Amino acid sequence: MKKATIKDVAREAGVSVATASNALNNPSIVRPRTREAILEAARRLSYVPNANGRRLRAKETRTIGLFVHVMLGDFYGSLADSMNQVCRANGYELHICIVSDMESIYRKLMDHSLDGAVIYWDDVDEESGRKMIACDCPLVFLSLDLHGPRTSCIRFESLKQGRMAAEYLYGLGMRKFLHMFGLPGNYDSEKRCEGFLQVLEDRGIPRDDVTLLEGRFERAVAYREMRRYLHEGRPLPDAVFAANDLSAIGCIAALNEMGWRVPEDVSVMGCDDIALCEYFTPQLTTIRTHFQEIGTRAAREVLRLIQGEPGRLLTQDGVLVVRKSCAISQKKNGKP
Amino acid sequence: MKKATIKDVAREAGVSVATASNALNNPSIVRPRTREAILEAARRLSYVPNANGRRLRAKETRTIGLFVHVMLGDFYGSLADSMNQVCRANGYELHICIVSDMESIYRKLMDHSLDGAVIYWDDVDEESGRKMIACDCPLVFLSLDLHGPRTSCIRFESLKQGRMAAEYLYGLGMRKFLHMFGLPGNYDSEKRCEGFLQVLEDRGIPRDDVTLLEGRFERAVAYREMRRYLHEGRPLPDAVFAANDLSAIGCIAALNEMGWRVPEDVSVMGCDDIALCEYFTPQLTTIRTHFQEIGTRAAREVLRLIQGEPGRLLTQDGVLVVRKSCAISQKKNGKP
DNA sequence: CTGAAAGCGCTTACAG
DNA sequence: CTGAAAGCGCTTACAG
């Protein structure tokens, strides 16, 4: 069966298309009796407006984009769900785009499909950043340092988070560290690492007593790296700080496999506070980055920019959540 | 700066819009020299076609929709990522829509935004199903029993999976069972439960020796239900079969909290085989449902329907993955 | 091989 | 309050 157009509705109701359109979008300006007749006709014909016609003419899509390179993982799922809630509540649709290159983002930003977008993307080079900002589509970058008149960014306080981790572990008496680094070039990775090292340096820990491995934020990679490290017979650290919870879990799996207990033999700490932390054994000590809130804030921020407000920089604080995966160092307690 | 339209490109290249359009979409029918001039003009003007104009006219969007009610969780993330891969590889975009009611799906199916869609939705009532099928937009339902001329469905073999779980646990010597049920009305929940009970009945297990709790596929709910059950002083089962891995993990958390060891005191088995199973302690015995493949198959199936092929029913097999969370029953070994 | 023209379905001034 | 008309940007027969 052919789908009804507004022309069909107008004919069915015996009015012009202009009036039909007004009855549907601007009900207050059409006489109640006429309006009812039109609405009734629309119902009878199962009329649903053609979104392409509407968008082409109205130059507005009431759609917000979310660009990510992958959807698997608590972080992305939360981000999408929370953004979606804010969008719906404000009469916008969320359009999630999983893309693998910046050119695709750029084209989508240019093709009039979106009124605004949130972009979560590692290492946007300067030229691409400029191009995207020049689209003059309201933009919110996550975890990146780009802003402009119609562009905001929201950053995790990753430097602080790294510092918090180091301070906590040092306070527990730890002196030999391993940091399961995230992804090179990733803003949060670099900052977490930088903050972590800063504090240890201030406390006088020799640089040789801090090992860096690259876990790429992935459980499997962290597991493999940790396993290789232990297999090489390198010294067991007092404490491990992983760039995210998933890689902390990978570390623990490798440690357990080699017969080490967490936290009795080694303390391990994550970052993010995904739901699993509480259910994992041992319950994971971590830094809660409130990543669920990022989606809410990001969506509100795009809406704000669409409203014409200027771009700005926002930050998202973290907080230490102490559970069971770190213990007071035996060494501090007097034992060797 | 104003975005260039095809008119601008045509003027810049000194040709008509028809020729400009052809150079862009149908390069072979325009003379190489002309084509080059047009492409060059498009480049100079940073021309990106207006998707709304194109879709309105061409009556084709090259976009496939995925409808889900939530994105958080390994299942949805995998589904989206794998569908996305297939879509991109075939020149389609994936448009993920997180929606909370079937009316939103229906409207989206009707508004000409999509060439086809995959719908993962619990308990679609008959009327809604009919309405959606009548949109005559190629549709693939996941985990549901709807099909038609342009509608396919892919189902997990959930009945078989429930049977496999029961057979395995019974074979281990288990005689008292607890099933952490999923979601009432959900096809897979009902079938897993049905299959599980079928086998136990065949083996002569009295119905009173099988407890059912409702975990709603959620870790937190399963944890709470299991905890309540144990707190009420009800008897510890020999084995727990949970409707998914997440709720199995919730069960284990509750059991551990009450001092019971898995698998020494109770065996626990999940379903799905999410990545975590391998890293969890104890490593989770489960039924691998190959849920990652569902996305790939679903995307291919929509593409097939768009090509004009008829709708059909597909199924996805499961396979037992034995890890560490189930052990041979002590009772079978002769101890009481 | 190229261009003039029609038209996809809609909204939006504007005239009455 | 209602309708005739223009036009958003594009593609697609069709004529030349």
Side-chain angles (χ1 to χ4, degrees):
Chain A
M1 120 245 153
K2 191 96 177 45
K3 283 172 191 157
T5 69
I6 198 164
K7 234 165 146 177
D8 300 320
V9 174
R11 188 185 322 110
E12 177 87 4
V15 297
S16 72
V17 294
T19 304
S21 174
N22 276 327
L24 263 11
N25 301 310
N26 230 340
S28 62
I29 75 165
V30 11
R31 192 154 53 104
R33 279 198 42 172
T34 322
R35 190 201 320 153
E36 280 317 318
I38 294 168
L39 262 31
E40 176 52 30
R43 215 171 298 128
R44 254 199 317 275
L45 300 175
S46 300
Y47 171 68
V48 176
N50 181 314
N52 304 126
R54 180 202 279 266
R55 288 173 181 163
L56 176 60
R57 181 60 230 251
K59 295 178 179 310
E60 195 206 33
T61 63
R62 299 205 72 84
T63 301
I64 286 172
L66 166 62
F67 294 94
V68 294
H69 50 264
V70 70
M71 272 308 299
L72 184 60
D74 279 23
F75 184 86
Y76 299 101
S78 280
L79 186 66
D81 286 340
S82 53
M83 278 191 62
N84 185 59
Q85 219 164 323
V86 175
C87 290
R88 296 259 157 201
N90 288 275
Y92 281 78
E93 265 186 57
L94 178 66
H95 183 148
I96 304 170
C97 303
I98 308 173
V99 289
S100 51
D101 58 300
M102 251 152 10
E103 184 62 20
S104 309
I105 303 183
Y106 171 72
R107 292 183 66 83
K108 193 84 189 160
L109 255 22
M110 288 289 283
D111 82 359
H112 298 87
S113 299
L114 267 19
D115 289 351
V118 173
I119 302 179
Y120 186 43
W121 204 258
D122 301 327
D123 65 87
V124 172
D125 62 283
E126 215 178 320
E127 195 205 326
S128 302
R130 224 194 333 266
K131 265 179 77 179
M132 292 195 280
I133 290 176
C135 294
D136 105 314
C137 176
L139 250 37
V140 174
F141 284 99
L142 260 32
S143 233
L144 219 62
D145 208 347
L146 277 165
H147 45 288
R150 310 199 66 192
T151 304
S152 289
C153 76
I154 308 184
R155 288 191 341 221
F156 289 113
E157 293 273 35
S158 293
L159 188 94
K160 271 197 207 164
Q161 293 163 11
R163 296 186 60 96
M164 286 170 60
E167 276 157 10
Y168 175 65
L169 293 172
Y170 186 91
L172 249 27
M174 311 299 170
R175 294 299 178 265
K176 308 233 180 237
F177 300 88
L178 189 149
H179 176 46
M180 185 58 73
F181 184 85
L183 204 60
N186 173 279
Y187 184 88
D188 297 305
S189 286
E190 304 286 359
K191 288 297 174 185
R192 276 173 201 164
C193 182
E194 188 182 330
F196 189 70
L197 296 178
Q198 267 179 9
V199 168
L200 297 184
E201 192 178 332
D202 290 353
R203 299 287 188 279
I205 302 286
R207 191 58 188 68
D208 280 355
D209 290 351
V210 188
T211 305
L212 295 180
L213 297 180
E214 191 179 308
R216 307 185 70 80
F217 289 135
E218 287 177 44
R219 194 159 33 196
V221 179
Y223 166 79
R224 202 168 56 227
E225 288 300 301
M226 191 73 203
R227 197 159 178 274
R228 184 207 328 242
Y229 176 87
L230 295 169
H231 266 119
E232 284 170 354
R234 314 263 299 274
L236 191 70
D238 300 337
V240 174
F241 170 49
N244 69 343
D245 295 326
L246 249 27
S247 55
I249 286 169
C251 290
I252 293 175
L255 286 162
N256 286 342
E257 194 176 296
M258 299 292 288
W260 300 112
R261 294 159 308 158
V262 176
E264 293 82 353
D265 302 315
V266 205
S267 288
V268 177
M269 156 165 198
C271 195
D272 277 349
D273 197 27
I274 58 177
L276 179 63
C277 292
E278 212 171 326
Y279 295 93
F280 195 73
T281 311
Q283 293 186 353
L284 211 62
T285 291
T286 189
I287 292 172
R288 178 175 298 163
T289 57
H290 299 107
F291 62 87
Q292 300 86 343
E293 286 175 25
I294 282 266
T296 308
R297 295 183 69 195
R300 289 206 183 113
E301 187 63 17
V302 200
L303 260 17
R304 205 182 136 272
L305 293 172
I306 291 173
Q307 242 75 153
E309 300 287 318
R312 58 182 176 169
L313 165 64
L314 298 170
T315 57
Q316 180 77 40
D317 255 333
V319 53
L320 180 70
V321 177
V322 175
R323 293 204 183 87
K324 308 276 176 66
S325 64
C326 299
I328 293 173
S329 169
Q330 299 305 315
K331 294 180 188 161
K332 199 185 184 187
N333 279 348
K335 302 183 198 161
Chain B
M1 119 249 151
K2 190 96 177 44
K3 283 171 192 158
T5 69
I6 198 164
K7 234 166 147 176
D8 300 320
V9 174
R11 190 186 318 112
E12 177 86 4
V15 298
S16 72
V17 295
T19 304
S21 173
N22 276 327
L24 264 10
N25 302 309
N26 228 342
S28 63
I29 75 165
V30 14
R31 191 153 55 102
R33 279 197 43 174
T34 323
R35 191 201 318 155
E36 280 317 317
I38 294 168
L39 262 31
E40 175 53 31
R43 215 171 298 128
R44 256 200 315 278
L45 300 175
S46 299
Y47 172 68
V48 176
N50 181 315
N52 304 126
R54 180 201 279 266
R55 288 174 181 162
L56 176 60
R57 182 58 231 251
K59 295 179 178 311
E60 193 206 35
T61 63
R62 298 204 73 83
T63 301
I64 286 171
L66 166 62
F67 294 94
V68 294
H69 50 262
V70 71
M71 274 306 301
L72 185 59
D74 279 24
F75 184 86
Y76 299 101
S78 281
L79 185 66
D81 285 340
S82 53
M83 280 191 62
N84 186 59
Q85 222 165 318
V86 176
C87 290
R88 296 260 158 203
N90 288 276
Y92 281 77
E93 266 186 57
L94 177 67
H95 183 148
I96 303 170
C97 302
I98 308 172
V99 289
S100 51
D101 58 300
M102 253 153 8
E103 184 62 20
S104 309
I105 303 183
Y106 171 72
R107 292 183 66 83
K108 193 86 189 158
L109 254 24
M110 287 288 284
D111 83 358
H112 297 87
S113 300
L114 267 17
D115 288 352
V118 172
I119 302 179
Y120 186 43
W121 204 259
D122 301 326
D123 65 89
V124 171
D125 62 283
E126 214 177 321
E127 196 205 326
S128 302
R130 223 190 336 260
K131 265 179 75 176
M132 293 195 280
I133 291 176
C135 293
D136 106 314
C137 174
L139 249 37
V140 174
F141 285 99
L142 260 32
S143 235
L144 219 60
D145 208 347
L146 277 166
H147 46 288
R150 310 199 66 191
T151 304
S152 289
C153 76
I154 308 185
R155 288 192 340 219
F156 289 114
E157 292 272 34
S158 293
L159 189 93
K160 270 197 207 165
Q161 294 163 11
R163 296 187 59 97
M164 286 170 62
E167 276 157 9
Y168 176 65
L169 293 172
Y170 185 90
L172 250 26
M174 310 299 170
R175 293 299 178 264
K176 308 230 178 239
F177 300 88
L178 189 149
H179 175 48
M180 185 58 74
F181 184 86
L183 203 60
N186 173 280
Y187 183 88
D188 297 305
S189 287
E190 305 287 1
K191 289 296 173 186
R192 276 173 200 162
C193 183
E194 188 183 330
F196 189 69
L197 295 178
Q198 267 179 11
V199 168
L200 296 185
E201 193 180 332
D202 289 353
R203 299 286 187 280
I205 302 285
R207 192 58 189 68
D208 279 353
D209 289 351
V210 188
T211 304
L212 295 180
L213 297 180
E214 189 179 309
R216 307 185 71 79
F217 289 134
E218 287 177 45
R219 192 160 35 197
V221 178
Y223 166 78
R224 202 168 58 227
E225 289 300 301
M226 191 73 203
R227 198 161 177 272
R228 186 208 324 243
Y229 176 85
L230 296 169
H231 265 119
E232 284 171 354
R234 314 265 297 275
L236 191 70
D238 300 337
V240 174
F241 170 50
N244 69 342
D245 295 326
L246 249 28
S247 54
I249 286 170
C251 290
I252 294 176
L255 286 162
N256 286 342
E257 194 177 295
M258 299 294 285
W260 299 112
R261 292 160 309 157
V262 177
E264 293 81 352
D265 303 315
V266 205
S267 287
V268 177
M269 151 163 204
C271 193
D272 277 350
D273 197 28
I274 58 177
L276 180 63
C277 291
E278 210 170 329
Y279 295 93
F280 195 73
T281 312
Q283 294 185 353
L284 212 61
T285 292
T286 189
I287 292 171
R288 179 175 296 162
T289 57
H290 300 105
F291 62 87
Q292 299 87 344
E293 286 175 26
I294 281 268
T296 307
R297 296 183 68 194
R300 290 208 183 113
E301 186 62 18
V302 199
L303 259 18
R304 205 183 137 273
L305 293 172
I306 290 174
Q307 243 74 156
E309 301 287 319
R312 56 182 178 170
L313 164 65
L314 298 170
T315 56
Q316 180 76 39
D317 254 331
V319 52
L320 179 69
V321 178
V322 175
R323 294 206 183 86
K324 308 277 177 68
S325 64
C326 298
I328 293 174
S329 170
Q330 298 307 312
K331 293 179 188 160
K332 199 185 183 185
N333 279 346
K335 300 182 200 162

